[in-house]
Amino acid sequence: MTNQLTGTGVALITPFTKDNQVDTEALARIVDYVTEGGVEFIVVLGTTSEAPTLTKDEKRIVRETIIKANKGRLPLVLGIGGNNTQNVIDEIKQTDLSPFVAILSVTPYYNKPSQNGLYAHFAAIAKESTLPIILYNVPGRTGVSMTTETVVRLANDFENIVAIKEASGNLLLDMNIIKDMPKDFILLSGDDATTLPAVYMGGSGAISVIGIAYPKEFSEMVRLGRQGKTVEANKLQYKLLPRTALAFKEGNPIGIKAMLAAKGLCEPYVRLPLVEASEELKKAISDLKD
C-alpha cells in the first residue's frame, strides 16, 4: 500500500462561488488539472481545503465531487483529524472510507498535549481505524511538534501507522526520523520549500500545496530527486522557489487560490476568518512567467 503514497500528493483546495457555496465544477476541474499534470495521489479535506469552515454536508459534497471527478485514476487520502480524540474516532467510524487508501490525521491543536499525549492520541485512533494512517506534523499551525522518538515509537508499535507528513520545515527533524524510522515507514514532506532536500535525504515524496498550481513541475522535481538526478531536480526547485514564496506570503490557501484563479481554474474566494489575497499579491502572481 505504501507505494501508493510515494511521489507527489496534492492537498486540494475547496473552491467557493461568489455566494460562498462549494464550487463543485471548479473542484472537478482542479482534479483533472493535477491528474493530467502527473501527481501520484490526491489528499481530500486536508488543511488546504479550509475544512474547519466546512459543514458536515459540505465535507460530504467535497468528498463525493473529488471521488466522482477522479474516476479511480489516482489513490485518494482523506483528512480526518482534530483536537478531540473521540470525535476523530467517531468521524472515522461514521465515514465511508472505501474510496480511500489512507487517512491523514493532524496533531491535536490548541490543547498542546505532551509527547505522551500525542502518542496516546494516535494510538487510540490507530486501534479504531480500518485504514492506514499518515501522521501529520505541522507545528506552525498546531502549536506542538512531534519528536523523532514519538514518531518512531508510533511507527514501531502500530502496523497501520505507515507514514508521516512532516511539515515543520525542520530538516534536522526530517533527517532524524528518516534515520530511525522502520524500514517500510515513509516520510512525506509537507513543506514545499524544503521538499527536495528532504527527498535527497531519503524522503519518499511530498504532500504539496504549490503542486496544485504547478503539478507537472513539482511532481517531476520529486521524481528526479528520488532518482538522484540533482542537476535537473535543482533547476525545477529554483524555478518553483519564488512561486512557493508567493503562495504562502499571505497564508495558505489564500495564495494558492489566487494562483489557481490566475490560471482560470477557480475563483480566489476564501472563507472568514481568512480574507482574499491582496491586490499586490495578485499582481505579483499575474506577473509570473510560467
Side-chain angles (χ1 to χ4, degrees):
M1 195 286 304
T2 52
N3 63 345
Q4 295 180 293
L5 299 174
T6 57
T8 296
V10 285
L12 292 191
I13 66 158
T14 301
F16 298 117
T17 62
K18 190 173 183 179
D19 59 353
N20 202 28
Q21 302 300 305
V22 175
D23 189 339
T24 55
E25 291 184 6
L27 184 53
R29 215 163 30 240
I30 293 167
V31 170
D32 286 340
Y33 178 73
V34 298
T35 302
E36 292 162 7
V39 306
E40 280 82 15
F41 63 97
I42 288 172
V43 175
V44 182
L45 295 173
T47 301
T48 306
S49 74
E50 298 174 77
T53 70
L54 299 177
T55 66
K56 186 176 181 179
D57 190 52
E58 286 173 330
K59 288 181 180 180
R60 176 188 57 78
I61 290 169
V62 168
R63 288 195 303 269
E64 291 177 354
T65 300
I66 294 174
I67 291 165
K68 182 178 178 182
N70 183 48
K71 301 173 185 175
R73 290 175 290 178
L74 295 178
L76 300 177
V77 172
L78 180 61
I80 303 180
N83 61 352
N84 181 322
T85 307
Q86 189 58 51
N87 282 357
V88 176
I89 292 170
D90 290 344
E91 186 174 350
I92 289 171
K93 288 183 174 181
Q94 294 162 10
T95 303
D96 177 10
L97 301 176
S98 60
F100 302 96
V101 300
I103 290 168
L104 176 68
S105 199
V106 70
T107 52
Y109 40 85
Y110 190 75
N111 315 57
K112 298 188 77 172
S114 66
Q115 294 302 308
N116 284 337
L118 290 169
Y119 176 90
H121 171 80
F122 285 114
I125 293 169
K127 290 172 184 175
E128 300 291 343
S129 177
T130 58
L131 281 185
I133 295 166
I134 304 170
L135 307 172
Y136 180 14
N137 190 51
V138 57
R141 285 183 177 270
T142 65
V144 63
S145 182
M146 301 179 79
T147 63
T148 300
E149 292 75 17
T150 301
V151 173
V152 172
R153 185 181 169 200
L154 285 164
N156 281 320
D157 289 355
F158 297 94
E159 290 184 358
N160 61 339
I161 295 181
V162 299
I164 183 169
K165 176 185 178 184
E166 210 301 284
S168 69
N170 181 347
L171 288 172
L172 183 59
L173 178 59
D174 290 353
M175 282 191 287
N176 280 320
I177 293 172
I178 292 167
K179 175 175 69 71
D180 294 339
M181 67 189 187
K183 180 182 177 182
D184 295 330
F185 193 78
I186 63 177
L187 181 138
L188 298 165
S189 175
D191 181 69
D192 286 338
T194 61
T195 287
L196 189 58
V199 167
Y200 287 156
M201 294 184 300
S204 296
I207 295 176
S208 174
V209 174
I210 195 66
I212 312 170
Y214 296 94
K216 181 178 179 181
E217 293 88 344
F218 193 93
S219 59
E220 182 64 9
M221 178 193 76
V222 170
R223 281 190 287 270
L224 290 167
R226 295 184 70 210
Q227 294 165 11
K229 297 180 179 178
T230 57
V231 173
E232 299 95 326
N234 289 350
K235 184 177 179 180
L236 288 169
Q237 163 81 342
Y238 292 122
K239 175 183 177 180
L240 289 168
L241 209 54
R243 290 156 176 79
T244 300
L246 288 176
F248 288 94
K249 186 174 182 180
E250 295 181 4
N252 181 42
I254 294 165
I256 197 66
K257 281 193 167 182
M259 286 184 169
L260 294 171
K263 292 175 178 290
L265 291 165
C266 68
E267 297 296 336
Y269 308 129
V270 293
R271 277 188 175 167
L272 290 171
L274 302 182
V275 294
E276 197 174 319
S278 66
E279 292 305 314
E280 291 80 6
L281 180 57
K282 289 180 181 178
K283 183 179 186 306
I285 288 169
S286 68
D287 288 344
L288 289 170
K289 301 291 189 294
D290 282 355

